[in-house]
Amino acid sequence: MNRFKQILDNHQEYAREWKKRVGGRILGYFDTYLPEELAYAAGMLPVRMMAEREPDMISAKWIYSSCYPVKSLTNQLLLGRYDYLDALVITEGCQWMYNAFEVAMNNKPDLLTHYLFFPDHTDAPTSKDLLVSELKVFRAKLEEWSGRAIADDALDNAIDVYNTNRRLLRKMYELRRMYRSVILGSEAMTVMLASQLMDKAEMNVWLEEYLRELEEREPYDDRIRLMLLGSETWSVDLEELVESLGANIVVDDLDNGASYCWNETVALKDKDMALALRYLGRPHSALKDNNWRRRPQRIFELAEDFAVDGALIAKQIYCHPHGLDNYAIWKLLRERGIPFHYFERDLTLPREETRLRLNSFFSMIRPGLTRLAGWHTPMTI
Amino acid sequence: MITAGIDMGMEYVKAVLLRDGEAAGRGIGLSGGARRESAARAALEGALKEAGLSAGDIGKTVATGKGKFDLSFADKQVTEAVAAAKAAKRLCPAATCVMDAGCDETLVLTLDGGGKINEAVLNEKCAAGVGGFLQNMARRLELSLEEMSALPPVAAGGATVNDGCIVFAELDMLSLLNRNVPVREIAAALTDAAAVRVCTVLNDVTVPATDKVVLLGGLAKNKAFVRALEARSGISFVIPDHGEYGGALGAAQIALDT
Amino acid sequence: MAEKGQIYETRPLEFWAKAKELRAGWQQSIESTETVVGQGNILAIADWSRAFPAIGLVEDNPAGSMIASQSSPFARKCRLASEIRGWGREICGYQNTCWGSQFLGYQADGSPFPYRKFVVPIPCLCDQHNKRGQQVRDFEPVPQWMMDQCVYLGPRDAGREEAMIEHRAYSMLRQINDIERLFGQKFDDEKFQELLTAYSLVDLYSRDISTLMAQTKPTPLSIKDYYSVYTLGSLTKIDPQETVDFWKLVRDEVEWRAQNQIAAVGNERFRWIEAHPPSWHFLKYYRYMESYGAVCLGSQYAHRVTAGCLERRPDGSIDRREMLYYPKDTPLETREDGVRVCLTPDVRYPHHHKMDEYIRHNAIVEFADIFQADGALLAGWRCGVGCTLTRKEQAMRLRRAGYNVMFYEGSQPGDRTDLDEKRFLEQLDTWMETQGLEKQGD
Amino acid sequence: MTKEYWRWPGSAWASQDADWRRADRITAGVDVGTTSSQAVVLCDGEVYAYASIHTGADFRKAAGAVVEKAIDDTGMRMADIGAVAGTGWGSDHITFAGQILDEVLCHAKGARHIYGREVRTVVDLGGQTTKAILLYDWDRVRDFMMNDKCATGMGRNVEYLCGLLQVPIEEIGELSLSVSEDPEPVSTTCYAFADTETMGLFGRPEYRSDKMTDNEVYASHMFSIAWRVLGVIGRLQPPDVGDVKVCKELGFTGGLAKNPGVTKRIERELGVTALAGRYDPQLAGALGAALLI
């Protein structure tokens, strides 16, 4: 566990060190719609850009009114924290991220950049064709950057490594599904986030060891089982706070959580098509879930499957897609009797305020289980 | 000729009298929203007393500040930017940049050699109220402003609060308080966050100034804040005496010049 | 109409009367015909909807800002209505007001909300809108067709474009087919082509108008006046031939004014540009600025083309930008041709916030140069993603090029939420006064 | 010494009729909030004494001080209190409490005691947080909603504003109600925006015609606070179509509940009349804690 935690805590260190060790190039990406396999096959290490809380005096000059994570990304890029990146790629998605991408593009002329149009209309019969066309463009760009063609077996290998990673991460979710979980939400999220920072081949080795460890582990006590919904996350502060109050997050529907690993690439002769189908077919982020609403139903199914007691919806301030999704999700959760608590967060988690919310929420949904100064909360008012 | 400049700030009203261009008197008073006009009269009264003059001696009065249009007896109103630039030019002829950090607004101006304003940048609304916030927090922490001003700088790796929003900063402050972090450390963290916030305005001009930057406004009096600001920005500010009277001084100078 | 500080002759616009007449006629026609009203975005689908006899499209942006301008208390109520149903408080005014009214079930005057009969969601222009359209179906399972808004960055790439156009053409043809089937209306292919031809003519006239505004000092037409006829023929649907005639009329009058040095604003001494459509309160601040003798020439958006419709040629002359808006070599014989013609420019010339290399780096500076501007007023619209994207950078670029730029925080797009009007006007004072300009005519 | 307009008066009360020495069971509830702290002492389930003070910079000190203040002059000592329950932001610091309870539960219980059993909607208007609580008509919390992070700090904001405007905090609510018609509220997003906007409302020549009177400015600010609270209340039971819906048996708790400029406006917008209570609404949290022991 500590290994993963270290990766996450020093989220830029791994890539820097990898570059020194392997000598390869690093490709930074913004959201999880990037078909990483292509970059991996081209010998690059795809690394997810992670927001970080630190004093920010620069981003306001370049970007206005964005969410705090994107301000942080802008800040880090301008401060040169990401100067080890060789390339920066964005897929069509969050526009705040796009703004950060543009700022980087204009301020770091040496950075190789690419914009990949990922269809917002994911379920048209022509969407896959368009994505294949975009993948070919991306592939050509990667080949131009590296000066050599992406070999078929390299791509096969990349797809295999990524699929293995997804399978292992799914296995971790299976362990969380057990009635008495052997893994805490904060641990699982740490692994999840670390996997977006690491070379997947190495990650897979670590992960296998970790899963073996987990199988040996004694399960935790009966805890309130929660589901985490809302915007992407970059730290496990919230999970840890939840755990300190006697609950556990057992499943999530975050774009960089469960949705990142939920489906695998199914082998096809046409590899671009195989990748296109994988990414079009993944559980969608709020932004891409813009035609027929699929998220509410998926959330309900996960809630049933993981037998959750309630849901926490934590939306980043200024995250519009999630703001617009609340309506349908709240409605469905209410109709089906799944209690939820909604709150906004930014990069700082006001611990006390959140603790008060959570205490009240937990004692509402399972009064007997709340840990408040060693006493059980009375059942009635 | 006697000219008067009155700066109708959000928290304080400041008055400055010039006798033939030489500073003759100053007066200050809490502005109190709706009572600005009477506060301004009182501040002016104070300045007149110091100068040994009477109201009838004043040849021309120019008002500036957020409430400049509330003053019925002003001959002219000028924006805060114009007044601040004038004051900076007077106090430091070589100034290339002036920053006016007050209760509510933070204004940064870059000047050319002749004192003309190249660029005027006002804080984002999300960064409003920094001065008032610090005072409010001092009150919450049961510190006087003097005590807050005398605090040592924040230690590296110590407590921090949100530097993006004063509303969130207050929540963080209360969390620190609940975790038994010493009040002085919390105050230092708040001061540092305010300095970071003010730095965003300083950075917002096309080419941020590095030298000969004049700091005006009430926050200039807060030593801990100035130290934090200098550490964060890397600028060594020119801090004139009575910097909080900058706007009023500029207005009085404009009354003389026009 | 002599004003204090007047430098140039000015006189009222004559096309005004005709514009009013057209607008009234349009108003009458929509009140008298039974129209199937759907939700969609004019940019992407207005072109086909008009070839149906009675299909109407309502876009949430204009609908929202119209509600907000009718009644601020009602707009506030709409915002509250969506907030309590879970919408984030940072969802912009357009969305909140329009869909808040749907949540309430009634409009500002108390009449029932006009529920849409179908919906065409358009993602991508702005994240605020990315999910727009779902709100319609949350209420009632009406037909829905999505229309992707494809863009790309970087050098022109014919292969990339073709895939995008195919993707969109498929959606559009399917929409037309389905509407014929579901609402029993016949798509008039001839009218469709007539419309496309009319649009290209209007485009030419409007570029003439832009050229005249840019190149004549004093400008014969201010953007304040231009905006009042801007939507005639597009959002305000009138007959294609009438549209063309009207735009010719406008062009001719502006040309005449330019030749005779008739100014839009008699005391013009400062020319400024914007970077986006103005917010709903624009009339007030255009007028306020005119009291300083500062006249607004509009934005790249207002002049209809992402990069601005004019360009400086290598020899220094200024001319219409060579646009592939309606490619000359494209035949316009079948419905598919028409659809492709509709879709091509959107892909080739992306909407202004997703810009290609050229546009990002140079366009706004070139625009300011061509329009002989002295400064620019750039708005940061709180919570408006698409409206605000890159605005800060543009400000920086213009400043470096020597323009005096005022960046201000406006309302949320669509309504007056978050607008601190007094602060904004004081910023305008600061902007003017720091350049030594004083109010005229006091 | 300039007058501190923002400082609201604390309170303390002890029953003159009852004698605590005869009580079988003495219990106390302590609510240490971000801005104010309250203690309520019960003798055999009946309110015997209470106090309310500014929390200040030391939560632990406040917790002790508020209990001391409540039992001051009664001859009772801390040791005489059989059981203490604590709640609130600083509840960790109530070292003498036997149990710590969550705020929603305490406010709900306290509100039931103050407003009677029929209360169904409890709106807690605190220094930092705003909570809207929906109760079943049996003794359970059905749901609760708390403010968005951006809408934090409304109670504290009124303190700050009163200091700035130099208007006594006890009066600003009434003053704001003396206008003939409410102006548009200032920014309903957050208090930072609202403050800047409010201070700008005091006059500008271009707008002399709509220049506001002082009371209208206060009204505009109070209205914006009320509006932010409405958003929290409405989220409890959003109807499929239509305006904000609320169970009309509504009671306010918390410090800001004593500001009619806020509560009356909420009542007006909701079309309900809030229940009248037996005790100071600010005591609800501490009272609830004491009752829940």
Side-chain angles (χ1 to χ4, degrees), chain B residues 10-11 30-36 66 69-70 103-105 125-126 128-129 132-133 136-137 139-142 162 166-168 170-171 174-175 177-180 183, chain D residues 2 5-6 34-35 55-57 59 89-90 92-93 128 149-150 152 156 159-160 163-166 190-193 195-196 199-200 202-205 208 211 214 218:
Chain B
M10 178 146 147
E11 191 176 12
L30 279 167
S31 63
R35 303 180 197 173
R36 276 175 189 156
K66 193 144 186 149
F69 291 109
D70 295 351
C103 173
D104 186 45
E105 287 182 343
K125 281 202 295 179
C126 279
F133 167 72
N136 194 23
M137 289 303 104
R139 190 190 287 160
R140 180 67 189 75
L141 294 170
E142 300 181 321
N162 190 306
I166 56 173
V167 181
F168 302 169
E170 187 169 350
L171 281 179
L174 289 163
S175 291
L177 204 55
N178 201 40
R179 268 177 272 156
N180 296 322
V183 163
Chain D
T2 44
Y5 289 94
W6 56 273
T34 55
T35 311
T55 297
F59 288 109
W89 185 287
D92 291 354
H93 299 271
Q128 287 297 329
K149 195 173 176 186
C150 286
T152 302
R156 270 285 284 164
E159 276 189 11
Y160 174 63
L164 209 56
L165 298 178
Q166 297 184 44
C190 77
Y191 75 67
F193 289 7
D195 286 348
T196 316
M199 295 310 285
F202 291 107
R204 190 180 155 84
R208 284 283 187 230
K211 183 176 172 176
D214 308 340
Y218 309 148

Side-chain angles (χ1 to χ4, degrees), chain B residues 189-238:
Chain B
L190 289 165
T191 306
D192 187 53
V196 169
R197 207 72 191 103
V198 166
C199 270
T200 61
V201 192
L202 210 51
N203 282 339
D204 206 8
V205 294
T206 312
V207 184
T210 52
D211 193 23
K212 297 271 184 302
V213 185
V214 180
L215 182 63
L216 301 175
L219 275 175
K221 284 207 303 184
N222 184 328
K223 289 198 182 59
F225 171 77
V226 172
R227 195 174 330 103
L229 188 63
E230 291 193 332
R232 286 288 179 192
S233 63
I235 298 173
S236 186
F237 289 93
V238 178

